[in-house]
Amino acid sequence: DEPMIEAIGLSKYYGNFAASRDVTFSINKGEVAAFLGPNGAGKSTTMKLLTGYLAPSAGTAKIAGFNMGTERLLGAERLGYLPENGPLYPDMSPRSLLTFFGNARGMAGMELRKRIEEVVSRCHLEAVIGKPIGKLSKGYRQRVGMAQALLHNPDVLILDEPTAGLDPNQIREVRKLIRELGETKTILLSTHILQEVEAMCNRVLFINEGRLVFDGTPQELAADQ
Ligand code: ADP
Ligand code: ADP
């Protein structure tokens, strides 16, 4: 088993308050895992520690074996991240955003145009490719964020509430996309909905008050209740 997402004693303190405390787990290649927990449990914070966007107060995060404190760029090449509220940059169109991020990752020309076409088709963004992101519905914005996370074809995905705020049709579509992606990639997603976990994941990490309180299969979690 090859660990692709590792938290080793990760903690994040804001003053005396621990948003994430001593979280340790390892997700192997090919697993689709969920962070499950109520709002404010520390899911987003722990995900930002894993991606290296937030420096931990203690502990180490590793992506594809790379220490996100000391080898962050190497880890970032292997990682796609969907942030909590989808992409920023409301004035950019999906096309310009994807071009911008592709360039930042060293892609250009035909290679980049082909890759953008692929993720746009995969995330069903054809109809809005030239429109300002700030004018798009929540469902479209979320899918623009997914397209951005997939652009450099990473083998690890960290997806913060990928279905939050979507309507039932959009939720079905995003779940289907994640299940397809899970056939070839290692995924950690967050949700506060148990059915979400059962629909997509073979592993569940329950977080409460910053602590990891359960780590097992969705079936074991159901039996535990
Ligand atoms: P979740 O993603 O599970 O909803 P978060 O990780 O966003 O939880 O937040 C965990 C807790 O940490 C919450 O109580 C939140 O208010 C707090 N928190 C998050 N970011 C900060 C910050 N920058 N400063 C102070 N408290 C924060
Ligand atoms: P910046 O945003 O300025 O690039 P960060 O706030 O991400 O910096 O990181 C500040 C420091 O914490 C850096 O030395 C960085 O290497 C380290 N760091 C960030 N994330 C992690 C992590 N997940 N594990 C260990 N160290 C980290």
Side-chain angles (χ1 to χ4, degrees):
D1 284 346
E2 194 183 336
M4 298 300 277
I5 304 174
E6 291 170 90
I8 306 158
L10 276 183
S11 295
K12 181 69 185 179
Y13 283 89
Y14 293 109
N16 286 328
F17 173 76
S20 184
R21 46 180 115 185
D22 199 18
V23 173
T24 297
F25 62 83
S26 174
I27 297 171
N28 286 322
K29 195 180 172 88
E31 285 192 281
V32 179
F35 262 169
L36 178 68
N39 284 326
K43 303 183 295 296
S44 291
T45 301
T46 308
M47 284 183 149
K48 286 181 201 149
L49 297 174
L50 288 166
T51 60
Y53 281 102
L54 194 61
S57 309
T60 304
K62 289 188 186 177
I63 297 295
F66 295 109
N67 183 318
M68 295 308 274
T70 56
E71 307 169 293
R72 184 173 162 187
L73 293 179
L74 291 169
E77 281 178 20
R78 306 286 296 274
L79 174 68
Y81 172 50
L82 174 72
E84 205 169 357
N85 294 309
L88 299 172
Y89 312 105
D91 297 331
M92 275 184 151
S93 66
R95 182 187 283 116
S96 53
L97 180 89
L98 293 170
T99 304
F100 176 79
F101 277 95
N103 290 153
R105 293 198 177 259
M107 293 186 261
M110 262 307 275
E111 182 213 0
L112 178 57
R113 280 201 298 276
K114 248 189 96 193
R115 189 59 203 151
I116 289 177
E117 214 173 282
E118 274 168 35
V119 294
V120 161
S121 148
R122 185 130 219 211
C123 300
H124 306 296
L125 291 169
E126 292 88 346
V128 300
I129 182 81
K131 296 186 177 152
I133 291 167
K135 296 238 161 81
L136 303 180
S137 68
K138 172 83 187 167
Y140 270 122
R141 284 205 304 277
Q142 199 74 334
R143 280 184 279 160
V144 174
M146 284 294 290
Q148 186 187 326
L150 294 175
L151 187 63
H152 57 303
N153 197 20
D155 52 355
V156 181
L157 292 173
I158 293 185
L159 309 174
D160 200 344
E161 300 255 6
T163 61
L166 305 188
D167 70 35
N169 267 327
Q170 295 167 336
I171 290 177
R172 260 198 301 279
E173 265 186 34
V174 170
R175 283 182 182 175
K176 182 163 163 270
L177 174 63
I178 290 172
R179 276 195 300 266
E180 286 166 10
L181 293 168
E183 288 169 16
T184 55
K185 297 177 192 295
T186 307
I187 302 178
L188 174 63
L189 60 88
S190 67
T191 178
H192 53 273
I193 304 166
L194 183 60
Q195 290 91 301
E196 193 96 292
V197 179
E198 292 165 336
M200 290 185 280
C201 305
N202 49 29
R203 168 105 175 260
V204 53
L205 304 160
F206 194 93
I207 308 253
N208 197 25
E209 296 181 354
R211 284 200 181 84
L212 185 62
V213 294
F214 176 90
D215 180 354
T217 65
Q219 293 74 19
E220 285 165 351
L221 180 67
D224 207 44
Q225 305 275 295

